[in-house]
Amino acid sequence: MAILLTGGAGYIGTHTCIELLNAGYEIIVLDNLSNSSVKALNCVSELTQKNIKFYEVDLLDATNLENIFKENTIDAVIHFAGLKAVGKSVETPLHYYHNNITGTLILCEIMQRYNVKRLVFSSSATVYGVPKSVPIFEDSPLNATNPYGRTKLMIEEILRDLYIPNEDWNIAILRYFNPIGAHPSGRLGEDPQGIPNNLMPYITQVGIGKLDKLKIFGNNYPTIDGTGVRDYIHVVDLALGHLKALEKVMSSPGVDTYNLGTGRGYSVLEIVEAFERVSKKKIPYEIVDRRPGDIATCYADATKAKEKLGWIAKRDIEEMCADSWNWQFNNPNGYESSKNIHLIN
Ligand code: NAD
Ligand code: UDP
């Protein structure tokens, strides 16, 4: 069975490639490499000893996208491709709306034309905005608070609308909570450009000495210790969630939405402590002002994914920290410092 992964060279995409290949799927990756490196796909090939069919194509390039559907028999699409930096989306909203939404429209039109109607889509917990209560259920109110989040919310609505007159489509919308961690080999992980915006890559870069200290954004939230609480999920668990979602869309369920999280929240200070425990590195920090737009607490109710997909996150916070550290320690400059081998075609 052949699966097309848009954005498959990225952080979550490459980890999903590994699990799909290990499970015996044939995979085709499309990526414009705007936020990724082909070296990551080389690592996937090396780790699995399997070939990946790779197209360096932009989703907005309808002609070349269509050629992929002409050249291959595709059974389903996992649609990761998108821009994801909240701050950048505020600075360049039109770029974000065009890339994420127009790209998805072009993809769905071509899928429809080629009769490929099984889709797994990467959405985000950001579509819940400021939650009225936690845990967050799939039917909790939706209210994205920035252009990035609104692209996810709008795409979700587009997909639900697409289904209404086209009931032969089968779509799983996955709302990820906070993916961290890396492949246990230490060969694959998150490779942010410049200074990281997210907590875990910032911590690991402090750990390796690239950054001086962590700035903790506020310690006066109504949480266990005043710092923000999030539902961190190991990227390998997240990748495995895509295999379960794929099985689900193969069984013709229509369109449905699932939270992918652990159901447990950790504060920033708890993450720092867990990281220090497993890495034996001290993480100096200072408390600074709250980051605009941040919320106090966000964690999932992941019961629906358990009951309907048969999926549950198994890796604990220490494993998440250990694998993040292993990746950073072995690749201080991300893929820039990893050796270049050529196994993809
Ligand atoms: P990533 O940036 O590592 O991967 C996304 C990939 O899409 C990149 O390789 C990029 O080059 C590619 N891409 C972007 N625009 C493209 C286009 N027009 N054509 C072709 N390729 C394009 O991000 P990730 O962390 O792997 O996230 C994957 C998906 O999950 C994204 O849609 C993201 O919004 C969503 N998501 C991520 C997180 C997170 O914290 N990492 C949380 C929730 C949702
Ligand atoms: N955070 C922090 N310092 C940083 C980055 C993040 O204190 O340098 C906090 C942030 O305020 C939030 C948590 O860590 O409470 C997770 O932030 P991240 O950006 O990773 O995820 P998101 O806020 O998008 O859920």
Side-chain angles (χ1 to χ4, degrees):
M1 197 171 304
I3 313 298
L4 173 68
L5 292 84
T6 75
Y11 172 48
I12 303 168
T14 45
H15 288 83
T16 306
C17 286
I18 295 230
E19 300 307 327
L20 287 169
L21 288 169
N22 286 341
Y25 289 94
E26 187 190 326
I27 65 172
I28 301 155
V29 170
L30 164 173
D31 204 301
N32 65 2
L33 303 179
S34 60
N35 195 38
S36 50
S37 165
V38 78
K39 288 184 185 175
L41 289 174
N42 284 321
C43 287
V44 171
S45 276
E46 198 190 40
L47 287 166
T48 56
Q49 289 298 303
K50 294 200 171 138
N51 279 329
I52 300 171
K53 204 167 192 180
F54 174 58
Y55 291 88
E56 187 175 342
V57 165
D58 195 307
L59 270 188
L60 298 168
D61 175 356
T63 308
N64 278 316
L65 181 60
E66 180 160 2
N67 284 340
I68 300 176
F69 283 79
K70 268 189 200 145
E71 285 171 18
N72 298 280
T73 304
I74 296 168
D75 295 286
V77 176
I78 307 183
H79 178 29
F80 295 106
L83 297 171
K84 63 169 183 176
V86 171
K88 284 254 165 51
S89 80
V90 175
E91 287 163 23
T92 58
L94 296 182
H95 181 47
Y96 266 67
Y97 284 118
H98 188 52
N99 189 77
N100 291 3
I101 297 182
T102 313
T104 303
L105 289 175
I106 293 172
L107 174 69
C108 289
E109 276 166 13
I110 294 174
M111 286 176 67
Q112 175 104 312
R113 205 173 308 144
Y114 284 79
N115 208 24
V116 179
K117 296 181 177 172
R118 300 182 188 112
L119 177 66
V120 177
F121 171 62
S122 303
S123 187
S124 166
T126 194
V127 298
Y128 295 114
V130 183
K132 286 205 170 63
S133 59
V134 284
I136 301 172
F137 295 86
E138 285 82 355
D139 57 2
S140 294
L142 302 177
N143 175 29
T145 56
N146 55 65
Y148 164 68
R150 279 189 279 276
T151 69
K152 293 296 179 192
L153 197 46
M154 287 177 194
I155 293 168
E156 285 198 7
E157 284 170 359
I158 289 167
L159 296 177
R160 283 188 279 268
D161 283 342
L162 169 64
Y163 177 73
I164 293 170
N166 299 290
E167 287 187 359
D168 51 346
W169 275 74
N170 291 293
I171 303 171
I173 295 170
L174 305 182
R175 293 186 183 142
Y176 312 154
F177 280 67
N178 287 58
I180 60 171
H183 192 261
S185 63
R187 297 285 314 278
L188 282 178
E190 191 172 8
D191 186 15
Q193 297 175 359
I195 295 179
N197 294 313
N198 297 112
L199 180 64
M200 185 51 78
Y202 204 105
I203 291 178
T204 59
Q205 292 200 12
V206 172
I208 198 123
K210 283 178 95 174
L211 296 168
D212 287 347
K213 59 181 162 186
L214 172 68
K215 295 186 183 74
I216 296 185
F217 299 139
N219 66 348
N220 55 359
Y221 286 106
T223 61
I224 173 179
D225 54 26
T227 64
V229 167
R230 298 288 183 276
D231 185 340
Y232 297 94
I233 172 171
H234 196 297
V235 66
V236 173
D237 277 326
L238 191 61
L240 291 167
H242 291 76
L243 271 68
K244 294 293 188 184
L246 210 48
E247 285 168 22
K248 181 54 106 180
V249 295
M250 294 299 173
S251 71
S252 305
V255 57
D256 215 344
T257 308
Y258 307 92
N259 285 341
L260 295 188
T262 63
R264 158 92 155 87
Y266 285 92
S267 74
V268 176
L269 285 171
E270 286 176 320
I271 295 294
V272 170
E273 281 159 22
F275 183 84
E276 289 183 336
R277 243 185 346 263
V278 301
S279 68
K280 312 269 186 284
K281 286 274 169 189
K282 188 86 198 131
I283 301 299
Y285 65 81
E286 64 175 325
I287 307 291
V288 300
D289 287 347
R290 289 181 177 191
R291 183 170 62 179
D294 266 4
I295 55 177
T297 303
C298 173
Y299 58 88
D301 181 290
T303 312
K304 185 172 171 187
K306 183 178 174 193
E307 287 177 353
K308 290 204 163 187
L309 301 180
W311 172 88
I312 186 168
K314 292 188 176 147
R315 290 159 180 80
D316 67 14
I317 201 67
E318 302 212 333
E319 194 167 348
M320 297 183 215
C321 291
D323 287 335
S324 294
W325 176 235
N326 188 30
W327 154 251
Q328 182 74 77
F329 184 77
N330 284 300
N331 305 270
N333 297 311
Y335 291 108
E336 210 178 281
S337 50
S338 76
K339 61 183 172 146
N340 203 358
I341 45 162
H342 296 282
L343 287 168
I344 59 171
N345 54 17

